[in-house]
PDB file of all heavy atoms in Angstrom:
ATOM      1  N   GLN A 254      17.240  -0.223  -6.432  1.00 95.00           N
ATOM      2  CA  GLN A 254      17.144  -1.074  -5.244  1.00 95.00           C
ATOM      3  C   GLN A 254      16.534  -0.304  -4.077  1.00 95.00           C
ATOM      4  O   GLN A 254      15.627  -0.808  -3.388  1.00 95.00           O
ATOM      5  CB  GLN A 254      18.528  -1.591  -4.832  1.00 95.00           C
ATOM      6  CG  GLN A 254      19.105  -2.612  -5.786  1.00 95.00           C
ATOM      7  CD  GLN A 254      20.545  -2.959  -5.441  1.00 95.00           C
ATOM      8  OE1 GLN A 254      21.212  -2.259  -4.670  1.00 95.00           O
ATOM      9  NE2 GLN A 254      21.046  -4.045  -6.025  1.00 95.00           N
ATOM     10  N   LEU A 255      17.009   0.910  -3.868  1.00 93.00           N
ATOM     11  CA  LEU A 255      16.464   1.737  -2.786  1.00 93.00           C
ATOM     12  C   LEU A 255      14.994   2.073  -3.028  1.00 93.00           C
ATOM     13  O   LEU A 255      14.180   2.051  -2.105  1.00 93.00           O
ATOM     14  CB  LEU A 255      17.284   3.025  -2.637  1.00 93.00           C
ATOM     15  CG  LEU A 255      18.715   2.854  -2.131  1.00 93.00           C
ATOM     16  CD1 LEU A 255      19.474   4.172  -2.233  1.00 93.00           C
ATOM     17  CD2 LEU A 255      18.700   2.357  -0.705  1.00 93.00           C
ATOM     18  N   ARG A 256      14.668   2.382  -4.276  1.00 92.00           N
ATOM     19  CA  ARG A 256      13.281   2.696  -4.608  1.00 92.00           C
ATOM     20  C   ARG A 256      12.379   1.490  -4.362  1.00 92.00           C
ATOM     21  O   ARG A 256      11.279   1.617  -3.819  1.00 92.00           O
ATOM     22  CB  ARG A 256      13.170   3.122  -6.066  1.00 92.00           C
ATOM     23  CG  ARG A 256      11.737   3.417  -6.477  1.00 92.00           C
ATOM     24  CD  ARG A 256      11.604   3.680  -7.950  1.00 92.00           C
ATOM     25  NE  ARG A 256      12.105   4.990  -8.281  1.00 92.00           N
ATOM     26  CZ  ARG A 256      12.205   5.461  -9.513  1.00 92.00           C
ATOM     27  NH1 ARG A 256      11.856   4.717 -10.534  1.00 92.00           N
ATOM     28  NH2 ARG A 256      12.661   6.667  -9.746  1.00 92.00           N
ATOM     29  N   GLY A 257      12.837   0.304  -4.737  1.00 93.00           N
ATOM     30  CA  GLY A 257      12.068  -0.918  -4.504  1.00 93.00           C
ATOM     31  C   GLY A 257      11.826  -1.166  -3.026  1.00 93.00           C
ATOM     32  O   GLY A 257      10.720  -1.553  -2.618  1.00 93.00           O
ATOM     33  N   LYS A 258      12.857  -0.931  -2.210  1.00 95.00           N
ATOM     34  CA  LYS A 258      12.696  -1.103  -0.758  1.00 95.00           C
ATOM     35  C   LYS A 258      11.703  -0.086  -0.196  1.00 95.00           C
ATOM     36  O   LYS A 258      10.881  -0.419   0.664  1.00 95.00           O
ATOM     37  CB  LYS A 258      14.037  -0.957  -0.050  1.00 95.00           C
ATOM     38  CG  LYS A 258      14.966  -2.137  -0.286  1.00 95.00           C
ATOM     39  CD  LYS A 258      16.298  -1.949   0.406  1.00 95.00           C
ATOM     40  CE  LYS A 258      17.236  -3.095   0.091  1.00 95.00           C
ATOM     41  NZ  LYS A 258      18.551  -2.913   0.705  1.00 95.00           N
ATOM     42  N   ALA A 259      11.767   1.152  -0.676  1.00 93.00           N
ATOM     43  CA  ALA A 259      10.850   2.194  -0.198  1.00 93.00           C
ATOM     44  C   ALA A 259       9.403   1.871  -0.594  1.00 93.00           C
ATOM     45  O   ALA A 259       8.482   2.034   0.209  1.00 93.00           O
ATOM     46  CB  ALA A 259      11.262   3.552  -0.757  1.00 93.00           C
ATOM     47  N   ILE A 260       9.213   1.381  -1.803  1.00 91.00           N
ATOM     48  CA  ILE A 260       7.866   1.024  -2.257  1.00 91.00           C
ATOM     49  C   ILE A 260       7.332  -0.151  -1.443  1.00 91.00           C
ATOM     50  O   ILE A 260       6.159  -0.160  -1.025  1.00 91.00           O
ATOM     51  CB  ILE A 260       7.867   0.713  -3.772  1.00 91.00           C
ATOM     52  CG1 ILE A 260       8.105   2.005  -4.563  1.00 91.00           C
ATOM     53  CG2 ILE A 260       6.565   0.048  -4.202  1.00 91.00           C
ATOM     54  CD1 ILE A 260       8.335   1.798  -6.053  1.00 91.00           C
ATOM     55  N   ALA A 261       8.183  -1.149  -1.192  1.00 93.00           N
ATOM     56  CA  ALA A 261       7.758  -2.300  -0.391  1.00 93.00           C
ATOM     57  C   ALA A 261       7.392  -1.871   1.032  1.00 93.00           C
ATOM     58  O   ALA A 261       6.390  -2.322   1.587  1.00 93.00           O
ATOM     59  CB  ALA A 261       8.860  -3.352  -0.363  1.00 93.00           C
ATOM     60  N   LEU A 262       8.207  -0.993   1.625  1.00 94.00           N
ATOM     61  CA  LEU A 262       7.927  -0.503   2.963  1.00 94.00           C
ATOM     62  C   LEU A 262       6.602   0.276   3.001  1.00 94.00           C
ATOM     63  O   LEU A 262       5.796   0.102   3.914  1.00 94.00           O
ATOM     64  CB  LEU A 262       9.077   0.381   3.447  1.00 94.00           C
ATOM     65  CG  LEU A 262       8.955   0.963   4.851  1.00 94.00           C
ATOM     66  CD1 LEU A 262       8.927  -0.169   5.877  1.00 94.00           C
ATOM     67  CD2 LEU A 262      10.110   1.903   5.140  1.00 94.00           C
ATOM     68  N   HIS A 263       6.375   1.099   1.995  1.00 92.00           N
ATOM     69  CA  HIS A 263       5.140   1.869   1.933  1.00 92.00           C
ATOM     70  C   HIS A 263       3.927   0.947   1.768  1.00 92.00           C
ATOM     71  O   HIS A 263       2.873   1.180   2.367  1.00 92.00           O
ATOM     72  CB  HIS A 263       5.211   2.888   0.795  1.00 92.00           C
ATOM     73  CG  HIS A 263       4.138   3.921   0.854  1.00 92.00           C
ATOM     74  ND1 HIS A 263       3.293   4.168  -0.207  1.00 92.00           N
ATOM     75  CD2 HIS A 263       3.752   4.769   1.839  1.00 92.00           C
ATOM     76  CE1 HIS A 263       2.446   5.119   0.127  1.00 92.00           C
ATOM     77  NE2 HIS A 263       2.702   5.504   1.352  1.00 92.00           N
ATOM     78  N   SER A 264       4.073  -0.103   0.964  1.00 90.00           N
ATOM     79  CA  SER A 264       2.987  -1.075   0.804  1.00 90.00           C
ATOM     80  C   SER A 264       2.680  -1.785   2.120  1.00 90.00           C
ATOM     81  O   SER A 264       1.511  -2.050   2.440  1.00 90.00           O
ATOM     82  CB  SER A 264       3.335  -2.104  -0.270  1.00 90.00           C
ATOM     83  OG  SER A 264       3.434  -1.480  -1.525  1.00 90.00           O
ATOM     84  N   GLN A 265       3.730  -2.071   2.908  1.00 93.00           N
ATOM     85  CA  GLN A 265       3.521  -2.697   4.221  1.00 93.00           C
ATOM     86  C   GLN A 265       2.777  -1.750   5.166  1.00 93.00           C
ATOM     87  O   GLN A 265       1.900  -2.185   5.923  1.00 93.00           O
ATOM     88  CB  GLN A 265       4.858  -3.100   4.843  1.00 93.00           C
ATOM     89  CG  GLN A 265       5.499  -4.291   4.179  1.00 93.00           C
ATOM     90  CD  GLN A 265       6.882  -4.589   4.742  1.00 93.00           C
ATOM     91  OE1 GLN A 265       7.382  -3.867   5.610  1.00 93.00           O
ATOM     92  NE2 GLN A 265       7.510  -5.645   4.240  1.00 93.00           N
ATOM     93  N   VAL A 266       3.114  -0.484   5.120  1.00 93.00           N
ATOM     94  CA  VAL A 266       2.432   0.504   5.962  1.00 93.00           C
ATOM     95  C   VAL A 266       0.957   0.583   5.574  1.00 93.00           C
ATOM     96  O   VAL A 266       0.066   0.621   6.440  1.00 93.00           O
ATOM     97  CB  VAL A 266       3.118   1.889   5.844  1.00 93.00           C
ATOM     98  CG1 VAL A 266       2.272   2.975   6.489  1.00 93.00           C
ATOM     99  CG2 VAL A 266       4.491   1.845   6.456  1.00 93.00           C
ATOM    100  N   ILE A 267       0.683   0.585   4.275  1.00 91.00           N
ATOM    101  CA  ILE A 267      -0.708   0.620   3.814  1.00 91.00           C
ATOM    102  C   ILE A 267      -1.445  -0.640   4.267  1.00 91.00           C
ATOM    103  O   ILE A 267      -2.600  -0.571   4.720  1.00 91.00           O
ATOM    104  CB  ILE A 267      -0.762   0.782   2.275  1.00 91.00           C
ATOM    105  CG1 ILE A 267      -0.261   2.173   1.880  1.00 91.00           C
ATOM    106  CG2 ILE A 267      -2.178   0.549   1.743  1.00 91.00           C
ATOM    107  CD1 ILE A 267      -0.077   2.374   0.391  1.00 91.00           C
ATOM    108  N   THR A 268      -0.783  -1.800   4.188  1.00 91.00           N
ATOM    109  CA  THR A 268      -1.400  -3.054   4.614  1.00 91.00           C
ATOM    110  C   THR A 268      -1.726  -3.032   6.100  1.00 91.00           C
ATOM    111  O   THR A 268      -2.829  -3.433   6.515  1.00 91.00           O
ATOM    112  CB  THR A 268      -0.471  -4.241   4.288  1.00 91.00           C
ATOM    113  OG1 THR A 268      -0.219  -4.253   2.869  1.00 91.00           O
ATOM    114  CG2 THR A 268      -1.082  -5.566   4.684  1.00 91.00           C
ATOM    115  N   GLU A 269      -0.802  -2.561   6.917  1.00 94.00           N
ATOM    116  CA  GLU A 269      -1.043  -2.472   8.356  1.00 94.00           C
ATOM    117  C   GLU A 269      -2.184  -1.502   8.666  1.00 94.00           C
ATOM    118  O   GLU A 269      -3.005  -1.750   9.542  1.00 94.00           O
ATOM    119  CB  GLU A 269       0.231  -2.048   9.101  1.00 94.00           C
ATOM    120  CG  GLU A 269       1.320  -3.097   9.087  1.00 94.00           C
ATOM    121  CD  GLU A 269       0.874  -4.401   9.750  1.00 94.00           C
ATOM    122  OE1 GLU A 269       0.210  -4.355  10.809  1.00 94.00           O
ATOM    123  OE2 GLU A 269       1.178  -5.469   9.183  1.00 94.00           O
ATOM    124  N   PHE A 270      -2.229  -0.388   7.932  1.00 93.00           N
ATOM    125  CA  PHE A 270      -3.311   0.567   8.114  1.00 93.00           C
ATOM    126  C   PHE A 270      -4.660  -0.082   7.780  1.00 93.00           C
ATOM    127  O   PHE A 270      -5.643   0.086   8.507  1.00 93.00           O
ATOM    128  CB  PHE A 270      -3.068   1.805   7.239  1.00 93.00           C
ATOM    129  CG  PHE A 270      -4.214   2.764   7.229  1.00 93.00           C
ATOM    130  CD1 PHE A 270      -4.465   3.574   8.325  1.00 93.00           C
ATOM    131  CD2 PHE A 270      -5.064   2.861   6.129  1.00 93.00           C
ATOM    132  CE1 PHE A 270      -5.528   4.462   8.324  1.00 93.00           C
ATOM    133  CE2 PHE A 270      -6.133   3.741   6.130  1.00 93.00           C
ATOM    134  CZ  PHE A 270      -6.366   4.540   7.228  1.00 93.00           C
ATOM    135  N   CYS A 271      -4.700  -0.828   6.695  1.00 92.00           N
ATOM    136  CA  CYS A 271      -5.945  -1.493   6.292  1.00 92.00           C
ATOM    137  C   CYS A 271      -6.376  -2.538   7.319  1.00 92.00           C
ATOM    138  O   CYS A 271      -7.572  -2.699   7.574  1.00 92.00           O
ATOM    139  CB  CYS A 271      -5.788  -2.134   4.913  1.00 92.00           C
ATOM    140  SG  CYS A 271      -5.709  -0.924   3.586  1.00 92.00           S
ATOM    141  N   LYS A 272      -5.405  -3.229   7.914  1.00 93.00           N
ATOM    142  CA  LYS A 272      -5.735  -4.212   8.954  1.00 93.00           C
ATOM    143  C   LYS A 272      -6.318  -3.504  10.174  1.00 93.00           C
ATOM    144  O   LYS A 272      -7.263  -3.988  10.788  1.00 93.00           O
ATOM    145  CB  LYS A 272      -4.491  -5.005   9.361  1.00 93.00           C
ATOM    146  CG  LYS A 272      -4.092  -6.067   8.371  1.00 93.00           C
ATOM    147  CD  LYS A 272      -2.867  -6.810   8.878  1.00 93.00           C
ATOM    148  CE  LYS A 272      -2.366  -7.819   7.875  1.00 93.00           C
ATOM    149  NZ  LYS A 272      -1.138  -8.500   8.329  1.00 93.00           N
ATOM    150  N   SER A 273      -5.744  -2.364  10.523  1.00 94.00           N
ATOM    151  CA  SER A 273      -6.203  -1.664  11.726  1.00 94.00           C
ATOM    152  C   SER A 273      -7.607  -1.089  11.575  1.00 94.00           C
ATOM    153  O   SER A 273      -8.347  -1.003  12.548  1.00 94.00           O
ATOM    154  CB  SER A 273      -5.212  -0.562  12.111  1.00 94.00           C
ATOM    155  OG  SER A 273      -5.249   0.472  11.152  1.00 94.00           O
ATOM    156  N   ILE A 274      -7.997  -0.707  10.363  1.00 92.00           N
ATOM    157  CA  ILE A 274      -9.339  -0.155  10.179  1.00 92.00           C
ATOM    158  C   ILE A 274     -10.332  -1.205   9.687  1.00 92.00           C
ATOM    159  O   ILE A 274     -11.515  -0.912   9.535  1.00 92.00           O
ATOM    160  CB  ILE A 274      -9.337   1.059   9.228  1.00 92.00           C
ATOM    161  CG1 ILE A 274      -8.906   0.657   7.813  1.00 92.00           C
ATOM    162  CG2 ILE A 274      -8.481   2.175   9.763  1.00 92.00           C
ATOM    163  CD1 ILE A 274      -9.154   1.730   6.770  1.00 92.00           C
ATOM    164  N   GLY A 275      -9.847  -2.400   9.391  1.00 92.00           N
ATOM    165  CA  GLY A 275     -10.729  -3.479   8.951  1.00 92.00           C
ATOM    166  C   GLY A 275     -11.101  -3.422   7.476  1.00 92.00           C
ATOM    167  O   GLY A 275     -12.157  -3.916   7.090  1.00 92.00           O
ATOM    168  N   ALA A 276     -10.245  -2.847   6.646  1.00 90.00           N
ATOM    169  CA  ALA A 276     -10.503  -2.775   5.202  1.00 90.00           C
ATOM    170  C   ALA A 276     -10.204  -4.129   4.556  1.00 90.00           C
ATOM    171  O   ALA A 276      -9.284  -4.836   4.976  1.00 90.00           O
ATOM    172  CB  ALA A 276      -9.646  -1.686   4.569  1.00 90.00           C
ATOM    173  N   ASP A 277     -10.961  -4.468   3.526  1.00 91.00           N
ATOM    174  CA  ASP A 277     -10.736  -5.744   2.859  1.00 91.00           C
ATOM    175  C   ASP A 277      -9.615  -5.633   1.815  1.00 91.00           C
ATOM    176  O   ASP A 277      -9.031  -4.558   1.611  1.00 91.00           O
ATOM    177  CB  ASP A 277     -12.030  -6.263   2.225  1.00 91.00           C
ATOM    178  CG  ASP A 277     -12.552  -5.350   1.123  1.00 91.00           C
ATOM    179  OD1 ASP A 277     -12.037  -4.231   0.994  1.00 91.00           O
ATOM    180  OD2 ASP A 277     -13.477  -5.773   0.399  1.00 91.00           O
ATOM    181  N   GLN A 278      -9.332  -6.766   1.141  1.00 91.00           N
ATOM    182  CA  GLN A 278      -8.220  -6.849   0.181  1.00 91.00           C
ATOM    183  C   GLN A 278      -8.419  -5.889  -0.993  1.00 91.00           C
ATOM    184  O   GLN A 278      -7.460  -5.263  -1.448  1.00 91.00           O
ATOM    185  CB  GLN A 278      -8.117  -8.301  -0.322  1.00 91.00           C
ATOM    186  CG  GLN A 278      -6.938  -8.592  -1.210  1.00 91.00           C
ATOM    187  CD  GLN A 278      -5.633  -8.673  -0.452  1.00 91.00           C
ATOM    188  OE1 GLN A 278      -5.601  -8.711   0.772  1.00 91.00           O
ATOM    189  NE2 GLN A 278      -4.539  -8.673  -1.176  1.00 91.00           N
ATOM    190  N   LYS A 279      -9.636  -5.767  -1.459  1.00 93.00           N
ATOM    191  CA  LYS A 279      -9.911  -4.896  -2.602  1.00 93.00           C
ATOM    192  C   LYS A 279      -9.637  -3.428  -2.264  1.00 93.00           C
ATOM    193  O   LYS A 279      -9.059  -2.692  -3.064  1.00 93.00           O
ATOM    194  CB  LYS A 279     -11.363  -5.088  -3.047  1.00 93.00           C
ATOM    195  CG  LYS A 279     -11.684  -4.433  -4.354  1.00 93.00           C
ATOM    196  CD  LYS A 279     -13.080  -4.797  -4.813  1.00 93.00           C
ATOM    197  CE  LYS A 279     -13.390  -4.164  -6.138  1.00 93.00           C
ATOM    198  NZ  LYS A 279     -14.728  -4.514  -6.614  1.00 93.00           N
ATOM    199  N   GLN A 280     -10.020  -3.013  -1.083  1.00 92.00           N
ATOM    200  CA  GLN A 280      -9.760  -1.626  -0.664  1.00 92.00           C
ATOM    201  C   GLN A 280      -8.268  -1.383  -0.495  1.00 92.00           C
ATOM    202  O   GLN A 280      -7.756  -0.316  -0.829  1.00 92.00           O
ATOM    203  CB  GLN A 280     -10.504  -1.329   0.634  1.00 92.00           C
ATOM    204  CG  GLN A 280     -12.002  -1.245   0.461  1.00 92.00           C
ATOM    205  CD  GLN A 280     -12.725  -1.117   1.781  1.00 92.00           C
ATOM    206  OE1 GLN A 280     -12.284  -1.642   2.807  1.00 92.00           O
ATOM    207  NE2 GLN A 280     -13.864  -0.415   1.765  1.00 92.00           N
ATOM    208  N   ARG A 281      -7.560  -2.389   0.030  1.00 92.00           N
ATOM    209  CA  ARG A 281      -6.112  -2.270   0.199  1.00 92.00           C
ATOM    210  C   ARG A 281      -5.426  -2.103  -1.160  1.00 92.00           C
ATOM    211  O   ARG A 281      -4.559  -1.234  -1.327  1.00 92.00           O
ATOM    212  CB  ARG A 281      -5.560  -3.510   0.915  1.00 92.00           C
ATOM    213  CG  ARG A 281      -4.050  -3.433   1.165  1.00 92.00           C
ATOM    214  CD  ARG A 281      -3.517  -4.710   1.807  1.00 92.00           C
ATOM    215  NE  ARG A 281      -3.368  -5.787   0.849  1.00 92.00           N
ATOM    216  CZ  ARG A 281      -2.311  -5.930   0.038  1.00 92.00           C
ATOM    217  NH1 ARG A 281      -1.326  -5.066   0.072  1.00 92.00           N
ATOM    218  NH2 ARG A 281      -2.249  -6.933  -0.800  1.00 92.00           N
ATOM    219  N   GLN A 282      -5.838  -2.906  -2.134  1.00 93.00           N
ATOM    220  CA  GLN A 282      -5.259  -2.783  -3.477  1.00 93.00           C
ATOM    221  C   GLN A 282      -5.558  -1.421  -4.088  1.00 93.00           C
ATOM    222  O   GLN A 282      -4.702  -0.833  -4.764  1.00 93.00           O
ATOM    223  CB  GLN A 282      -5.797  -3.888  -4.388  1.00 93.00           C
ATOM    224  CG  GLN A 282      -5.236  -5.253  -4.074  1.00 93.00           C
ATOM    225  CD  GLN A 282      -5.864  -6.349  -4.925  1.00 93.00           C
ATOM    226  OE1 GLN A 282      -6.863  -6.125  -5.608  1.00 93.00           O
ATOM    227  NE2 GLN A 282      -5.275  -7.535  -4.878  1.00 93.00           N
ATOM    228  N   GLY A 283      -6.763  -0.921  -3.836  1.00 92.00           N
ATOM    229  CA  GLY A 283      -7.110   0.406  -4.336  1.00 92.00           C
ATOM    230  C   GLY A 283      -6.242   1.493  -3.725  1.00 92.00           C
ATOM    231  O   GLY A 283      -5.824   2.427  -4.406  1.00 92.00           O
ATOM    232  N   LEU A 284      -5.943   1.364  -2.417  1.00 91.00           N
ATOM    233  CA  LEU A 284      -5.066   2.352  -1.762  1.00 91.00           C
ATOM    234  C   LEU A 284      -3.645   2.283  -2.303  1.00 91.00           C
ATOM    235  O   LEU A 284      -2.989   3.316  -2.472  1.00 91.00           O
ATOM    236  CB  LEU A 284      -5.073   2.136  -0.249  1.00 91.00           C
ATOM    237  CG  LEU A 284      -6.338   2.576   0.483  1.00 91.00           C
ATOM    238  CD1 LEU A 284      -6.265   2.171   1.952  1.00 91.00           C
ATOM    239  CD2 LEU A 284      -6.538   4.075   0.350  1.00 91.00           C
ATOM    240  N   ILE A 285      -3.162   1.070  -2.581  1.00 90.00           N
ATOM    241  CA  ILE A 285      -1.804   0.935  -3.135  1.00 90.00           C
ATOM    242  C   ILE A 285      -1.742   1.544  -4.535  1.00 90.00           C
ATOM    243  O   ILE A 285      -0.783   2.253  -4.873  1.00 90.00           O
ATOM    244  CB  ILE A 285      -1.363  -0.541  -3.126  1.00 90.00           C
ATOM    245  CG1 ILE A 285      -1.143  -0.988  -1.676  1.00 90.00           C
ATOM    246  CG2 ILE A 285      -0.092  -0.747  -3.941  1.00 90.00           C
ATOM    247  CD1 ILE A 285      -0.847  -2.464  -1.513  1.00 90.00           C
ATOM    248  N   ARG A 286      -2.774   1.327  -5.351  1.00 93.00           N
ATOM    249  CA  ARG A 286      -2.815   1.946  -6.683  1.00 93.00           C
ATOM    250  C   ARG A 286      -2.867   3.468  -6.584  1.00 93.00           C
ATOM    251  O   ARG A 286      -2.217   4.177  -7.351  1.00 93.00           O
ATOM    252  CB  ARG A 286      -4.016   1.435  -7.466  1.00 93.00           C
ATOM    253  CG  ARG A 286      -3.845   0.030  -7.968  1.00 93.00           C
ATOM    254  CD  ARG A 286      -4.938  -0.345  -8.963  1.00 93.00           C
ATOM    255  NE  ARG A 286      -4.820  -1.734  -9.301  1.00 93.00           N
ATOM    256  CZ  ARG A 286      -5.676  -2.679  -8.921  1.00 93.00           C
ATOM    257  NH1 ARG A 286      -6.732  -2.359  -8.197  1.00 93.00           N
ATOM    258  NH2 ARG A 286      -5.495  -3.935  -9.266  1.00 93.00           N
ATOM    259  N   LEU A 287      -3.640   3.956  -5.636  1.00 93.00           N
ATOM    260  CA  LEU A 287      -3.731   5.403  -5.429  1.00 93.00           C
ATOM    261  C   LEU A 287      -2.380   5.981  -5.013  1.00 93.00           C
ATOM    262  O   LEU A 287      -1.977   7.049  -5.484  1.00 93.00           O
ATOM    263  CB  LEU A 287      -4.788   5.722  -4.369  1.00 93.00           C
ATOM    264  CG  LEU A 287      -5.013   7.195  -4.055  1.00 93.00           C
ATOM    265  CD1 LEU A 287      -5.520   7.930  -5.284  1.00 93.00           C
ATOM    266  CD2 LEU A 287      -5.985   7.339  -2.904  1.00 93.00           C
ATOM    267  N   ALA A 288      -1.662   5.249  -4.154  1.00 91.00           N
ATOM    268  CA  ALA A 288      -0.334   5.702  -3.734  1.00 91.00           C
ATOM    269  C   ALA A 288       0.620   5.760  -4.930  1.00 91.00           C
ATOM    270  O   ALA A 288       1.429   6.690  -5.054  1.00 91.00           O
ATOM    271  CB  ALA A 288       0.224   4.771  -2.659  1.00 91.00           C
ATOM    272  N   LYS A 289       0.514   4.788  -5.831  1.00 91.00           N
ATOM    273  CA  LYS A 289       1.374   4.790  -7.013  1.00 91.00           C
ATOM    274  C   LYS A 289       1.051   5.982  -7.910  1.00 91.00           C
ATOM    275  O   LYS A 289       1.962   6.677  -8.382  1.00 91.00           O
ATOM    276  CB  LYS A 289       1.210   3.492  -7.799  1.00 91.00           C
ATOM    277  CG  LYS A 289       2.127   3.430  -8.991  1.00 91.00           C
ATOM    278  CD  LYS A 289       1.994   2.154  -9.773  1.00 91.00           C
ATOM    279  CE  LYS A 289       2.977   2.206 -10.928  1.00 91.00           C
ATOM    280  NZ  LYS A 289       2.637   1.322 -11.999  1.00 91.00           N
ATOM    281  N   LYS A 290      -0.235   6.240  -8.133  1.00 93.00           N
ATOM    282  CA  LYS A 290      -0.628   7.391  -8.963  1.00 93.00           C
ATOM    283  C   LYS A 290      -0.158   8.703  -8.355  1.00 93.00           C
ATOM    284  O   LYS A 290       0.335   9.593  -9.053  1.00 93.00           O
ATOM    285  CB  LYS A 290      -2.139   7.418  -9.156  1.00 93.00           C
ATOM    286  CG  LYS A 290      -2.660   6.394 -10.117  1.00 93.00           C
ATOM    287  CD  LYS A 290      -4.156   6.522 -10.276  1.00 93.00           C
ATOM    288  CE  LYS A 290      -4.709   5.428 -11.166  1.00 93.00           C
ATOM    289  NZ  LYS A 290      -6.177   5.510 -11.276  1.00 93.00           N
ATOM    290  N   ASN A 291      -0.306   8.835  -7.044  1.00 92.00           N
ATOM    291  CA  ASN A 291       0.159  10.058  -6.375  1.00 92.00           C
ATOM    292  C   ASN A 291       1.669  10.200  -6.474  1.00 92.00           C
ATOM    293  O   ASN A 291       2.185  11.306  -6.646  1.00 92.00           O
ATOM    294  CB  ASN A 291      -0.296  10.067  -4.909  1.00 92.00           C
ATOM    295  CG  ASN A 291      -1.781  10.324  -4.774  1.00 92.00           C
ATOM    296  OD1 ASN A 291      -2.402  10.882  -5.654  1.00 92.00           O
ATOM    297  ND2 ASN A 291      -2.347   9.876  -3.657  1.00 92.00           N
ATOM    298  N   GLY A 292       2.385   9.085  -6.347  1.00 90.00           N
ATOM    299  CA  GLY A 292       3.844   9.113  -6.472  1.00 90.00           C
ATOM    300  C   GLY A 292       4.276   9.554  -7.869  1.00 90.00           C
ATOM    301  O   GLY A 292       5.242  10.288  -8.031  1.00 90.00           O
TER     302      GLY A 292
END
């Protein structure tokens, strides 16, 4: 449960970052996949 909340929070941070720099949906998904691989 804690891990799921942390992953969801991290995905929200990535989404907000993508909105601030103007990245599209495909780039956002790529960053989330990269975060999972790094994790």
